[in-house]
Structure formats: C-alpha cells, structure tokens
Amino acid sequence: TTNRPSAFARTAALNQVSGPAAVAPKVWTHLAATWDGTTLRTYVNGVERASTAATGLIGLGVGPLRIGGSRFATEWFKGDIDEVRVYRQAISAAQIATDLNTPVVR
C-alpha cells in the first residue's frame, strides 16, 4: 500500500525489509533483494536502501516461488516485471550494479 520495495525471507520467523521511500509510478526501476544468511537487503537502482537482521536457515516451501506478491497477502505488484534473476547465493552490490546495466539474454 506504500509502493515501497519490500523483500521477505522465512527463517524461524518471517523477516521483512522495506525501502524507505515509494517507487515512482510509470518509471522503469531496477529492484533487487539479497539474503546472505544473516542480513536481508533491498536495492533500488543498484543502491542499497534498507536492511534488517535475518538469521537462521531459510524455510523450505512446497509451493511456487512468487515474484510480485504472496499467497497470503492481498497486495500485488501493479506494473510490468520484465526481467527476473534468481541466484543460488547472495550477490554483492557490485554484481547488482552489473545486473542493473546488463539485460537478460534469452
């Protein structure tokens, strides 16, 4: 409801981090989130905007990975998602900046 970029990671608890400001409507924006086992972070246009401690093991789910919404929440991303990258490990801020400027090749 605030249009702030958010990320979630379920460990022993549900961890959430939200950026401090809303994303401008109708403007292309690069969003990224990482979790390295200790910290959950969000990035907007290659710059880290928020972080929170999130320790523990990530919970295993049996449902699908959802990008832009949740099975439990009623809010969903209102816009186009044109590229998605999923990595096996948390990537660095430098790698996020590279992704920002490198299109996904099909």
Side-chain angles (χ1 to χ4, degrees), residues 50-104:
S51 66
T52 191
T55 59
L57 298 175
I58 196 142
L60 296 176
V62 295
L65 171 64
R66 297 177 194 273
I67 308 236
S70 164
R71 172 173 74 131
F72 303 106
T74 58
E75 68 272 355
W76 290 86
F77 178 75
K78 295 176 186 171
D80 296 327
I81 299 174
D82 64 352
E83 295 181 358
V84 174
R85 291 177 169 102
V86 178
Y87 294 91
R88 296 179 79 115
Q89 71 283 335
I91 62 174
S92 68
Q95 290 169 305
I96 289 171
T98 297
D99 282 353
L100 166 68
N101 297 302
T102 307
V104 172

